[in-house]
Amino acid sequence: MYGMSNQQQILLSKIATNNGHGENSPYFDGWKAYDSDPYHHIENPNGVIQMGLAENQLSFDIVEEWLLKNPKASICTMEGMSEFRDKAIYQDYHGLTQFRNAVAKFMGKVRGDRVVFDPNRIVMSGGATGAHELVTFCLADPGDAFLVPTPYYPGFDRDLTWRTGVKLLPVICESSNDFKITRKALEAAYEKAQEEKTRVKGLLITNPSNPLGTVLDLETLKSIVTFVSEKNIHLISDEIYSGTVFGSPGFISVSEIIEEMECNRDLIHIVYSLSKDMGFPGFRVGIVYSYNDDVVNVGRKMSSFGLVSTQTQHLIASMLSDDEFIENFISKNSEKLSKRYEDFSSGLYEAGIRCLKSNAGLFFWMDLRRLLKEPTPAAEMALWQLIIHKVKLNVSPGLSFHCSEPGWFRVCFANMDDETMEVALERIRSFVKKDLSAKRQRWQDNLKVRLSFRRLDDPHMMSPHSPIPQSPLVRART
Amino acid sequence: MSLSEIATNDMHGEKSAYFDGWKAYDRDPFHPKKNPNGVIQMGLAENQLSFDLIEEWITKHPEASICTPEGISQFKDVAIFQDYHGLAQFREAVANFMGKARGGRVKFDPNRIIMGGGATGANEMIMFCLANPEEAFLVPSPYYPAFDRDMRWRTKVKIFPVECKKSNNFQITKQALEDAYQKAQEQNIKVKGLIITNPSNPLGTTMNRETLKSLVSFINEKNIHLVADEIYAATVFSSPQFVSVAEVMKEVKCNPNLIHIVYSLSKDLGLPGLRVGIVYSYNDDVVSCGRKMSSFGLVSSQTQHLIASMLSDDEFVDNFLAESSKRLGKRHEIFTEGLANVGITCLESNAGLFVWMNLQHLLKDHTPDGEMELWHMIIHDVKLNVSPGSSFHCSEPGWFRVCFANMDEDTVYVALKRIKKFAGNGQKEGEPAKAKRWKNNNALRLSLSSRIYDETVMSPTMIISSPHSPMPRSPLVRART
């Protein structure tokens, strides 16, 4: 850490003094910019809009309405008070039975009831953050490695490696095939580890993907399960966005795949949380669901380091036991995400910005490669600084997700109201317009139709005889 | 495919024989009506005496919950809040409470408050910050068994016990510390710090000022850390007054970068389920790093909000601290008097949720095996789940930790009845009464009547230390065969 004297450094542990927490990276500039100048539609209309936080703020009203109708869900209401002391005193790491039952049921419903989850395999942890660390402590020794397809959630570096001493090795995915995970890429990463004499203990996938917002197709999932089985390594499937799927194709969970394929179930583990699907990151409801009995047993013991508050367990148990509520929530939530996605992406389209086609998650994976001065990390950083300080949007640069190609940005869309979204879109439009007029010449030279853009059926997009006087890639609005 | 080394070793501590007591309880739990002959749980250090005060406050303050009509407007902001700094009001309220638990003699800075997943998470986290794998912390014994897991399991930090003995009431001596430190040096083990629990679990005693000062000097001299686990701070019910390391720091020359406090609301407020663990460090870098680590075990924002409201209410806090202390004191008195009446003494204590009971005189063999044998008898015959001293790494067999605050008063009397029955089972043939026991400071208290447990506690003036006991059997109670 900076500013620490040598003596201080000796006083603390190596973990305390290394950068394994990942916060010294320059990517925190975006956060700092936001913190020092946060947008507020009345008080600070020119402030930085936060688009770097993958939060789901669209469905609180459904939850609040339910809460007011169900006072027993709280141990603090008159109706719920009789439960107070039993819950307050309960610190058993098995967790409340009703909690495990309710979470298992919710997980099943999110997967369209195509699979049933066993409440006895539900292990609690301190948010998904704690869940990832816990599962890593169970499966790998210091120096061992997990393969992780890129681009991936930056927090994995901290969660899986900081205190565990385990390494993360990238499996490179490329835009040329929409960042799909190929068997070839998996093998290449595995080989590389062998050459470096690093023992690979498992593969970590995020499905639906952060930052891509895409779901894994059946082929890919099957090939992944085959790969881990062949190599006899673990598969951790982070499915925390499973309830944010809003369009086709539908979500296929690893829990469904293992019903259809021969595989060693002792290798299969799911990480879940209510932070994204329900929008409750503050409640720290992290879940490890393992098909391996030993992992369940030891994981449960480890969960003591990050149990879910029983006040929260009780609330969640009540809420997620209500079938009517769950079904209503899942479908309305999906509708709202879908609408927000549509509104935003049509706005982006009009501004000539393209994104990876996606159907899940709380963000776009935006393609701004054409706005780079050159296809380098430095150019991405420069563009990013521009977006933060001039356009005043805190978006997340692709390199922070270990993306192998510069120019991609993750932009969150579900953590704001409609009004703010409009303001963000307007700023993007203005920026692109200015940038366009500066780069018009270069763009016309490089003009190509990008098939990855979602509005393939839009006649304006397809025809070179666009009624739009300028390049079809950009639509300036005054 | 194999799991990790951590997943397959036994450092979680649960394979130990001590779980027999738990199993016995789980299979056959006491219930006054449904199972009056079941095992009474006296192995859980819980504070169940003051829930009514909390429930009353919550009923009057619906805005403390984000689920009530009064509090729902806060729901969204609280549910979305995952900042590892924690809610400002939460940190302020906890700092305020910690100060009040120390009689206002010291003030805590809300910016030094870091959250942990209960004290369990807090203890592990502070180890991750201060020590590398294979480095060690000195821990005075007897100590809380789960330190073995919390401090060592995933961190790979070692525990080096500092033996404390009955001869000086288990106080930590400078000599014992020096000896332990030396021993570690000889074994090429790097000592990074000392962890103390004050008030002590399992002893129930508060550390006296002089001892605390000498500890602070010791660590300062050796340039090692001091972690003071003060989670029983507000369970002090009689003198001497609790002296926190936070106070002593001001009186002794020391490097504040070496001083850290672990705290929680599990014991003082009786809310272990809410997982409110706290690390309070005087070292800025530990605060900074610890805060980042707290992501692995933040307190649920729903709970932060409740606690923030409750502990910001000075009137509630002042009243709670006074009343809780009183109730614990009364319960302690009932229990220790009851034990004394059957010739069982405990280490004199003024805090905690348990007594450190001396059953050395009941051991057949003064060995760990002898203790285990006695313990099994207590679980299966007397049907009380108490905790044997060896599980606390006590170097002398025959001590048992017995919890008294996790049950209602009626159950206390049932337990005392059973103990009485067990204790009053006759003197071992050929074994003379040992006169020296009578001179014990914790004098044997004999009851004049076997109905003592059903009446108000006998006053000290009625205590008889005469060997001419009205009780037909020797006060030298003995294990039943």
Side-chain angles (χ1 to χ4, degrees), chain A residues 437-450:
Chain A
S437 46
K439 287 182 179 158
R440 179 190 283 277
Q441 194 57 50
R442 247 177 65 211
W443 283 5
Q444 282 178 346
D445 291 344
N446 291 335
L447 200 54
K448 259 190 274 206
V449 173
R450 297 292 171 109

Side-chain angles (χ1 to χ4, degrees), chain B residues 189-464:
Chain B
I189 295 173
K190 180 152 184 216
V191 175
K192 277 314 259 300
L194 164 68
I195 182 164
I196 59 173
T197 308
N198 177 29
S200 162
N201 174 13
L203 305 176
T205 52
T206 52
M207 208 173 280
N208 66 46
R209 184 171 243 110
E210 283 316 305
T211 307
L212 202 39
K213 279 163 96 160
S214 86
L215 290 188
V216 173
S217 302
F218 173 79
I219 57 106
N220 198 54
E221 197 191 306
K222 302 278 190 267
N223 199 32
I224 61 177
H225 293 280
L226 177 62
V227 175
D229 182 338
E230 300 193 344
I231 82 171
Y232 290 96
T235 66
V236 178
F237 48 79
S238 66
S239 64
Q241 188 180 71
F242 174 57
V243 179
S244 161
V245 72
E247 299 170 55
V248 162
M249 272 175 79
K250 300 191 269 186
E251 302 170 23
V252 178
K253 173 172 183 291
C254 85
N255 176 0
N257 286 324
L258 299 173
I259 313 288
H260 323 274
I261 295 176
V262 164
Y263 189 57
S264 148
L265 300 183
S266 302
K267 310 297 179 181
D268 289 352
L269 281 176
L271 307 172
L274 302 189
R275 314 315 298 150
V276 184
I278 302 289
V279 171
Y280 187 96
S281 177
Y282 290 90
N283 182 319
D284 292 347
D285 294 312
V286 171
V287 169
S288 179
C289 159
R291 193 177 277 136
K292 294 173 173 64
M293 275 192 198
S294 66
S295 294
F296 297 111
L298 297 173
V299 176
S300 166
S301 53
Q302 176 189 19
T303 299
Q304 287 187 50
H305 179 84
L306 171 65
I307 296 303
S309 308
M310 206 189 297
L311 302 187
S312 304
D313 184 341
D314 279 344
E315 200 186 316
F316 167 77
V317 169
D318 290 339
N319 180 52
F320 182 92
L321 288 173
E323 186 59 30
S324 172
S325 173
K326 213 160 100 187
R327 294 178 186 189
L328 286 170
K330 173 157 186 263
R331 180 58 68 86
H332 173 265
E333 204 179 353
I334 292 175
F335 197 63
T336 48
E337 297 272 352
L339 289 176
N341 286 335
V342 291
I344 295 178
T345 63
C346 301
L347 184 72
E348 200 174 316
S349 63
N350 64 324
L353 309 172
F354 33 69
V355 290
W356 188 233
M357 188 167 73
N358 185 352
L359 297 183
Q360 291 182 312
H361 55 298
L362 297 185
L363 294 180
K364 247 198 244 165
D365 306 308
H366 284 263
T367 61
D369 283 345
E371 181 183 283
M372 285 301 274
E373 197 190 317
L374 175 57
W375 180 56
H376 277 114
M377 189 173 303
I378 297 174
I379 296 173
H380 299 295
D381 296 345
V382 193
K383 298 193 126 189
L384 301 175
N385 180 29
V386 300
S387 310
S390 50
S391 67
F392 295 85
H393 302 277
C394 186
S395 56
E396 303 169 351
W399 292 87
F400 291 79
R401 189 191 77 170
V402 185
C403 299
F404 58 69
N406 63 316
M407 58 189 70
D408 58 32
E409 204 168 295
D410 290 338
T411 311
V412 176
Y413 289 122
V414 174
L416 283 170
K417 261 201 189 97
R418 292 183 187 181
I419 293 174
K420 181 191 179 194
K421 194 160 166 224
F422 166 66
N425 235 31
Q427 188 179 344
K428 188 175 178 177
E429 277 173 20
E431 196 182 81
K434 293 189 181 143
K436 70 181 179 196
R437 291 175 203 276
W438 296 99
K439 293 188 205 145
N440 195 313
N441 276 342
N442 291 331
L444 291 174
R445 292 165 191 202
L446 301 175
S447 80
L448 293 173
S449 151
S450 60
R451 276 170 29 228
I452 192 65
Y453 315 113
D454 300 325
E455 291 164 357
T456 52
V457 175
M458 211 163 67
S459 100
T461 56
M462 292 174 74
I463 290 165
I464 296 170

Side-chain angles (χ1 to χ4, degrees), chain A residues 169-361:
Chain A
L169 299 178
V171 175
I172 311 289
C173 300
E174 295 171 341
S175 61
S176 51
N177 70 340
D178 290 341
F179 298 98
K180 283 194 169 45
I181 305 168
T182 62
R183 181 66 188 243
K184 189 160 168 237
L186 287 169
E187 293 284 0
Y190 190 85
E191 278 311 305
K192 189 152 181 265
Q194 304 287 83
E195 280 157 31
E196 292 167 5
K197 302 233 187 316
T198 297
R199 186 166 73 156
V200 173
K201 276 319 264 293
L203 167 65
L204 165 66
I205 59 174
T206 308
N207 179 29
S209 165
N210 174 13
L212 306 175
T214 53
V215 298
L216 291 179
D217 60 78
L218 188 63
E219 279 310 307
T220 307
L221 264 171
K222 284 187 156 165
S223 121
I224 284 173
V225 173
T226 304
F227 174 77
V228 301
S229 298
E230 270 172 31
K231 302 283 192 256
N232 200 29
I233 62 177
H234 292 278
L235 177 62
I236 303 174
S237 182
D238 181 339
E239 302 191 347
I240 82 172
Y241 290 98
S242 47
T244 66
V245 178
F246 49 79
S248 62
F251 170 60
I252 307 173
S253 163
V254 72
S255 57
E256 300 173 58
I257 296 294
I258 63 176
E259 300 291 339
E260 298 176 27
M261 288 175 71
E262 276 282 321
C263 79
N264 178 2
R265 289 184 172 216
D266 281 345
L267 300 174
I268 313 291
H269 323 273
I270 295 176
V271 164
Y272 188 57
S273 148
L274 298 182
S275 302
K276 310 297 178 183
D277 290 354
M278 297 216 68
F280 298 159
F283 295 168
R284 314 316 297 152
V285 184
I287 302 291
V288 173
Y289 187 95
S290 175
Y291 289 89
N292 181 319
D293 291 351
D294 294 326
V295 171
V296 171
N297 271 314
V298 79
R300 194 180 277 135
K301 292 172 173 61
M302 273 191 201
S303 67
S304 295
F305 296 113
L307 297 172
V308 176
S309 166
T310 45
Q311 176 188 21
T312 301
Q313 285 187 48
H314 178 83
L315 171 66
I316 297 304
S318 309
M319 212 187 285
L320 302 187
S321 303
D322 185 338
D323 282 350
E324 204 187 309
F325 168 78
I326 304 180
E327 277 155 21
N328 182 45
F329 181 91
I330 291 174
S331 79
K332 287 237 166 69
N333 185 41
S334 175
E335 263 171 48
K336 293 186 189 213
L337 286 168
S338 175
K339 173 152 199 307
R340 177 55 66 86
Y341 175 87
E342 293 285 336
D343 290 347
F344 219 116
S345 56
S346 57
L348 289 175
Y349 163 71
E350 285 169 20
I353 301 284
R354 54 187 63 110
C355 302
L356 183 72
K357 182 167 174 304
S358 63
N359 65 321

Side-chain angles (χ1 to χ4, degrees), chain B residues 97-118:
Chain B
F97 185 73
M98 286 172 71
K100 283 190 175 289
R102 289 153 186 74
R105 294 180 295 280
V106 71
K107 270 191 76 135
F108 290 90
D109 176 359
N111 295 321
R112 292 192 175 283
I113 302 264
I114 308 165
M115 296 179 282

Side-chain angles (χ1 to χ4, degrees), chain A residues 13-14 23 93 137 141 312, chain B residues 4-5 14 84 128 132 300:
Chain A
S13 66
K14 292 196 180 100
E23 289 190 31
Y93 57 34
F137 268 125
D141 293 323
T312 301
Chain B
S4 66
E5 195 276 322
E14 290 191 29
Y84 58 33
F128 268 125
N132 294 313
S300 166

